[in-house]
Amino acid sequence: MEEKYTVGNLIYDGDIYDGMNTQMDDLPFYLRWLKEKKDGNILELCCGTGRLAIPLAREGYTITGVDNSTSMLKQAADKANELNIPILFIESDMRYLDLPEMYDVIFIPFNSIHHLYTNRDLFDVLIRVKKHLKKDGYFIFDCFNPNIHYIVEAEKEEQVVAEYSTRDGREVVVKQTMMYENTTQINRIKWHYYINGEFDSTQNLDMRMFFPQELDAYVSMCGFEVIHKFGGFKEETFENRSDKQIFVCKQIDDNQ
């Protein structure tokens, strides 16, 4: 029987998501790399509630946001409309992306590829990205550099990972437990939500771990050249202790 890997609906609740995800340390990085394509078309996959799309559009970029969550896209559209910022938001599973436009930059931010649970899922996305990317365009994405020591320690006991207030007035505490599956490389994370002082629900946050050499090979196999791989958003060199894997890629020239 095939295991079902998921992200819980409450995690995709727009106000719950925005209350927890306030960090913007990746925005300056994307602004630097998009600057060269200032007049181009930009596509953000897994745009969520517009955390990056909205400030990028405010800087003058023509950006389209794609996400598979109706709730997240509604939150994004509402925020963009409040600010009178024109952004096209499209509901689509990025594995089956089929848009009429070609793009100068396509990016998948905020560790979103960890929700591609099989190699086939990842390959389908990379193939779709290549189909929609202009020949001289950039493909940029980021994910975690798996930390086995952290996973082992986190499996031992429940940990509080977030405490915050939402825009709609909820007081939220999130406690985490996890169990790593060696055979699938899936980290089975559970977030236990307490809202306004009472237990609400347990939500799955399953994440596929991608190890560095493995991911390098997959990207190359699908027709991309890694022109930079950073270990952080300040463009630190990728090394053993890096928390992140940040890829800047171009399509491999088939004529070479």
Side-chain angles (χ1 to χ4, degrees):
M1 181 177 177
E2 184 178 344
E3 292 282 358
K4 180 176 176 59
Y5 302 108
T6 61
V7 176
N9 289 333
L10 186 60
I11 293 173
Y12 284 152
D13 175 299
D15 288 314
I16 291 285
Y17 180 89
D18 278 349
M20 186 173 189
N21 297 295
T22 58
Q23 65 271 41
M24 297 296 291
D25 59 325
D26 50 350
L27 179 59
F29 171 83
Y30 284 106
L31 283 170
R32 285 195 299 274
W33 280 97
L34 268 58
K35 187 176 181 180
E36 185 180 323
K37 308 291 185 180
K38 184 75 175 184
D39 297 325
N41 287 333
I42 312 299
L43 179 65
E44 180 184 1
L45 301 178
C46 301
C47 68
T49 63
R51 186 184 64 88
L52 289 176
I54 290 171
L56 289 171
R58 292 181 78 171
E59 292 292 326
Y61 291 97
T62 301
I63 187 163
T64 298
V66 170
D67 203 279
N68 199 31
S69 166
T70 303
S71 171
M72 302 274 268
L73 287 176
K74 182 181 184 305
Q75 183 90 337
D78 287 347
K79 290 193 296 185
N81 289 336
E82 285 175 12
L83 297 169
N84 197 28
I85 297 172
I87 303 174
L88 175 61
F89 291 109
I90 298 172
E91 184 173 346
S92 175
D93 185 323
M94 62 180 174
R95 293 173 298 176
Y96 313 119
L97 189 71
D98 187 13
L99 303 178
E101 302 288 335
M102 299 284 285
Y103 296 91
D104 297 274
V105 179
I106 299 176
F107 68 101
I108 309 175
F110 213 38
N111 312 303
S112 296
I113 73 161
H114 289 297
H115 303 302
L116 300 171
Y117 299 119
T118 68
N119 287 349
R120 185 70 264 164
D121 290 335
L122 177 65
F123 297 159
D124 285 346
V125 169
L126 293 176
I127 290 167
R128 290 291 172 173
V129 167
K130 189 173 182 183
K131 177 183 176 182
H132 289 82
L133 188 66
K134 293 181 180 178
K135 289 298 182 183
D136 61 345
Y138 290 131
F139 171 44
I140 305 173
F141 68 97
D142 67 79
C143 63
F144 292 118
N145 184 22
N147 185 331
I148 299 301
H149 302 291
Y150 170 78
I151 293 171
V152 169
E153 290 301 313
E155 284 185 333
K156 293 179 180 179
E157 60 183 359
E158 186 177 77
Q159 300 175 331
V160 175
V161 294
E163 297 182 66
Y164 59 93
S165 302
T166 65
R167 187 169 70 164
D168 59 0
R170 287 175 283 181
E171 299 295 325
V172 180
V173 176
V174 183
K175 299 181 180 180
Q176 175 179 280
T177 56
M178 67 171 63
M179 181 186 69
Y180 181 68
E181 293 180 355
N182 292 310
T183 53
T184 61
Q185 298 176 209
I186 306 290
N187 198 11
R188 302 300 297 264
I189 300 169
K190 294 186 182 296
W191 278 0
H192 311 281
Y193 279 84
Y194 295 79
I195 298 179
N196 297 330
E198 296 184 356
F199 175 74
D200 178 84
S201 60
T202 295
Q203 304 283 319
N204 290 344
L205 182 64
D206 296 327
M207 299 181 76
R208 159 75 183 272
M209 296 293 101
F210 291 100
F211 291 89
Q213 292 192 62
E214 168 192 29
L215 196 49
D216 292 353
Y218 292 162
V219 169
S220 177
M221 285 166 51
C222 289
F224 291 97
E225 176 189 2
V226 180
I227 59 174
H228 294 288
K229 184 173 182 178
F230 300 116
F233 288 113
K234 294 182 179 179
E235 301 188 8
E236 300 94 331
T237 300
F238 179 74
E239 58 187 13
N240 184 52
R241 294 185 179 274
S242 297
D243 292 328
K244 300 285 293 183
Q245 302 181 71
I246 303 171
F247 288 79
V248 180
C249 308
K250 284 191 171 183
Q251 295 193 53
I252 294 172
D253 186 347
D254 295 330
N255 295 321
Q256 288 183 350

